[in-house]
Amino acid sequence: MRGTRFLPLFVISSLTGCAGCGDDDLLETTFDICVEPETVEYGTTTERAASTRTLTVINCGTAPINELSAVFNVDEDGNEADAEAFAALPTEVEIPLSAGERFLLPVSFRPTDARDYAANLEFFVPESDLPLESVPLAGTGVPPDAC
């Protein structure tokens, strides 16, 4: 994937079900997350300075989430450097994240040049090849004397 950076938020593996049960006894569950806000606009930020916004990540499914990864990605026509301008800050999260539980995820924008930037923050669980949620991120880098 062009312009993709993987960000493991937390990794712990376990099955949903009961000890000693057969596959037929595993609970039927759904994996889903909700992220607020749905889009993040950083506005103008001085080159090489950082601006941070905090996302709220919520387990909206019925299954506990035991592993979650996030990817900063750009569209096929996008600039790889756009994804590199965004970063998630280290976050401690209680695992598993039960249905209805939430955590805060600070995401920073640090432009390297004076121009517009756009990327998506996509969240995945191992049980799905498609992102559970994709959050568009955008910001504009400006020269130090422009702010």
Side-chain angles (χ1 to χ4, degrees), residues 2-3 72-80 82-83 118-120 122 134 136:
R2 187 172 173 235
F72 290 93
N73 200 0
V74 294
D75 295 329
E76 197 170 299
D77 298 332
N79 183 335
E80 284 183 44
D82 285 13
N120 297 302
E122 299 174 341
S134 181

mmCIF file of all heavy atoms in Angstrom, residues 2-3 72-80 82-83 118-120 122 134 136:
data_model
loop_
_atom_site.group_PDB
_atom_site.id
_atom_site.type_symbol
_atom_site.label_atom_id
_atom_site.label_comp_id
_atom_site.label_asym_id
_atom_site.label_seq_id
_atom_site.Cartn_x
_atom_site.Cartn_y
_atom_site.Cartn_z
ATOM 1 N N ARG A 2 0.617 2.131 -0.886
ATOM 2 C CA ARG A 2 1.392 3.352 -1.003
ATOM 3 C C ARG A 2 1.047 4.311 0.128
ATOM 4 O O ARG A 2 -0.113 4.584 0.384
ATOM 5 C CB ARG A 2 1.085 3.981 -2.350
ATOM 6 C CG ARG A 2 1.931 5.145 -2.651
ATOM 7 C CD ARG A 2 1.706 5.594 -4.069
ATOM 8 N NE ARG A 2 2.454 6.819 -4.206
ATOM 9 C CZ ARG A 2 1.934 7.943 -4.605
ATOM 10 N NH1 ARG A 2 0.690 8.001 -4.949
ATOM 11 N NH2 ARG A 2 2.667 9.016 -4.687
ATOM 12 N N GLY A 3 2.060 4.820 0.819
ATOM 13 C CA GLY A 3 1.821 5.809 1.856
ATOM 14 C C GLY A 3 1.252 5.246 3.133
ATOM 15 O O GLY A 3 0.655 5.965 3.908
ATOM 16 N N PHE A 72 -2.082 4.823 9.019
ATOM 17 C CA PHE A 72 -2.188 6.127 8.354
ATOM 18 C C PHE A 72 -1.989 5.845 6.874
ATOM 19 O O PHE A 72 -0.967 5.295 6.480
ATOM 20 C CB PHE A 72 -1.119 7.102 8.863
ATOM 21 C CG PHE A 72 -1.368 7.538 10.264
ATOM 22 C CD1 PHE A 72 -0.788 6.876 11.321
ATOM 23 C CD2 PHE A 72 -2.195 8.609 10.530
ATOM 24 C CE1 PHE A 72 -1.021 7.270 12.625
ATOM 25 C CE2 PHE A 72 -2.427 9.026 11.825
ATOM 26 C CZ PHE A 72 -1.840 8.348 12.880
ATOM 27 N N ASN A 73 -2.968 6.207 6.059
ATOM 28 C CA ASN A 73 -2.942 5.859 4.658
ATOM 29 C C ASN A 73 -3.372 7.045 3.820
ATOM 30 O O ASN A 73 -4.129 7.896 4.290
ATOM 31 C CB ASN A 73 -3.894 4.682 4.427
ATOM 32 C CG ASN A 73 -3.615 3.930 3.159
ATOM 33 O OD1 ASN A 73 -2.700 4.265 2.420
ATOM 34 N ND2 ASN A 73 -4.406 2.916 2.897
ATOM 35 N N VAL A 74 -2.908 7.106 2.584
ATOM 36 C CA VAL A 74 -3.352 8.134 1.639
ATOM 37 C C VAL A 74 -4.067 7.448 0.487
ATOM 38 O O VAL A 74 -3.851 6.265 0.218
ATOM 39 C CB VAL A 74 -2.187 8.998 1.110
ATOM 40 C CG1 VAL A 74 -1.587 9.831 2.218
ATOM 41 C CG2 VAL A 74 -1.128 8.161 0.433
ATOM 42 N N ASP A 75 -4.941 8.194 -0.189
ATOM 43 C CA ASP A 75 -5.619 7.665 -1.357
ATOM 44 C C ASP A 75 -4.599 7.347 -2.445
ATOM 45 O O ASP A 75 -3.454 7.807 -2.399
ATOM 46 C CB ASP A 75 -6.643 8.673 -1.886
ATOM 47 C CG ASP A 75 -7.768 8.903 -0.887
ATOM 48 O OD1 ASP A 75 -8.102 7.968 -0.136
ATOM 49 O OD2 ASP A 75 -8.312 10.021 -0.869
ATOM 50 N N GLU A 76 -5.015 6.588 -3.434
ATOM 51 C CA GLU A 76 -4.119 6.169 -4.503
ATOM 52 C C GLU A 76 -3.422 7.356 -5.169
ATOM 53 O O GLU A 76 -2.258 7.283 -5.537
ATOM 54 C CB GLU A 76 -4.912 5.374 -5.540
ATOM 55 C CG GLU A 76 -4.044 4.555 -6.452
ATOM 56 C CD GLU A 76 -4.869 3.611 -7.295
ATOM 57 O OE1 GLU A 76 -5.553 2.744 -6.728
ATOM 58 O OE2 GLU A 76 -4.818 3.770 -8.519
ATOM 59 N N ASP A 77 -4.126 8.472 -5.298
ATOM 60 C CA ASP A 77 -3.552 9.658 -5.932
ATOM 61 C C ASP A 77 -2.820 10.556 -4.933
ATOM 62 O O ASP A 77 -2.281 11.593 -5.313
ATOM 63 C CB ASP A 77 -4.646 10.481 -6.621
ATOM 64 C CG ASP A 77 -5.322 9.688 -7.728
ATOM 65 O OD1 ASP A 77 -4.668 8.802 -8.299
ATOM 66 O OD2 ASP A 77 -6.502 9.961 -8.012
ATOM 67 N N GLY A 78 -2.813 10.179 -3.658
ATOM 68 C CA GLY A 78 -2.239 11.031 -2.623
ATOM 69 C C GLY A 78 -0.720 10.994 -2.571
ATOM 70 O O GLY A 78 -0.064 10.176 -3.209
ATOM 71 N N ASN A 79 -0.179 11.878 -1.771
ATOM 72 C CA ASN A 79 1.256 12.018 -1.577
ATOM 73 C C ASN A 79 1.659 11.203 -0.342
ATOM 74 O O ASN A 79 1.085 11.378 0.730
ATOM 75 C CB ASN A 79 1.567 13.506 -1.385
ATOM 76 C CG ASN A 79 3.033 13.785 -1.254
ATOM 77 O OD1 ASN A 79 3.817 12.942 -0.861
ATOM 78 N ND2 ASN A 79 3.408 15.014 -1.569
ATOM 79 N N GLU A 80 2.656 10.325 -0.485
ATOM 80 C CA GLU A 80 3.105 9.500 0.645
ATOM 81 C C GLU A 80 3.489 10.332 1.861
ATOM 82 O O GLU A 80 3.284 9.936 2.998
ATOM 83 C CB GLU A 80 4.292 8.635 0.229
ATOM 84 C CG GLU A 80 3.933 7.457 -0.617
ATOM 85 C CD GLU A 80 5.147 6.603 -0.927
ATOM 86 O OE1 GLU A 80 5.938 6.345 -0.007
ATOM 87 O OE2 GLU A 80 5.287 6.209 -2.090
ATOM 88 N N ASP A 82 2.111 12.825 2.999
ATOM 89 C CA ASP A 82 0.940 13.235 3.767
ATOM 90 C C ASP A 82 0.728 12.318 4.970
ATOM 91 O O ASP A 82 0.475 12.776 6.077
ATOM 92 C CB ASP A 82 -0.316 13.255 2.894
ATOM 93 C CG ASP A 82 -0.367 14.451 1.957
ATOM 94 O OD1 ASP A 82 0.664 15.136 1.800
ATOM 95 O OD2 ASP A 82 -1.438 14.698 1.397
ATOM 96 N N ALA A 83 0.817 11.003 4.758
ATOM 97 C CA ALA A 83 0.622 10.052 5.854
ATOM 98 C C ALA A 83 1.700 10.216 6.918
ATOM 99 O O ALA A 83 1.433 10.059 8.117
ATOM 100 C CB ALA A 83 0.614 8.617 5.321
ATOM 101 N N ALA A 118 -3.381 15.604 3.518
ATOM 102 C CA ALA A 118 -4.592 14.815 3.758
ATOM 103 C C ALA A 118 -4.215 13.343 3.859
ATOM 104 O O ALA A 118 -3.384 12.851 3.094
ATOM 105 C CB ALA A 118 -5.598 15.026 2.632
ATOM 106 N N ALA A 119 -4.799 12.654 4.821
ATOM 107 C CA ALA A 119 -4.577 11.221 4.998
ATOM 108 C C ALA A 119 -5.805 10.647 5.691
ATOM 109 O O ALA A 119 -6.708 11.397 6.105
ATOM 110 C CB ALA A 119 -3.318 10.956 5.822
ATOM 111 N N ASN A 120 -5.837 9.347 5.811
ATOM 112 C CA ASN A 120 -6.908 8.659 6.538
ATOM 113 C C ASN A 120 -6.280 7.831 7.639
ATOM 114 O O ASN A 120 -5.233 7.211 7.435
ATOM 115 C CB ASN A 120 -7.698 7.734 5.601
ATOM 116 C CG ASN A 120 -8.393 8.498 4.510
ATOM 117 O OD1 ASN A 120 -9.191 9.384 4.781
ATOM 118 N ND2 ASN A 120 -8.074 8.188 3.264
ATOM 119 N N GLU A 122 -7.067 4.568 9.537
ATOM 120 C CA GLU A 122 -7.942 3.409 9.413
ATOM 121 C C GLU A 122 -7.670 2.425 10.541
ATOM 122 O O GLU A 122 -6.516 2.141 10.864
ATOM 123 C CB GLU A 122 -7.721 2.734 8.054
ATOM 124 C CG GLU A 122 -8.048 3.660 6.896
ATOM 125 C CD GLU A 122 -7.717 3.077 5.539
ATOM 126 O OE1 GLU A 122 -6.911 2.119 5.454
ATOM 127 O OE2 GLU A 122 -8.259 3.593 4.550
ATOM 128 N N SER A 134 -12.684 4.522 9.226
ATOM 129 C CA SER A 134 -11.684 5.344 8.556
ATOM 130 C C SER A 134 -11.987 6.804 8.868
ATOM 131 O O SER A 134 -13.114 7.261 8.660
ATOM 132 C CB SER A 134 -11.728 5.104 7.039
ATOM 133 O OG SER A 134 -10.742 5.878 6.397
ATOM 134 N N PRO A 136 -10.934 10.652 8.088
ATOM 135 C CA PRO A 136 -10.146 11.582 7.271
ATOM 136 C C PRO A 136 -9.464 12.634 8.141
ATOM 137 O O PRO A 136 -10.073 13.184 9.066
ATOM 138 C CB PRO A 136 -11.187 12.241 6.358
ATOM 139 C CG PRO A 136 -12.382 11.353 6.415
ATOM 140 C CD PRO A 136 -12.351 10.714 7.767
#
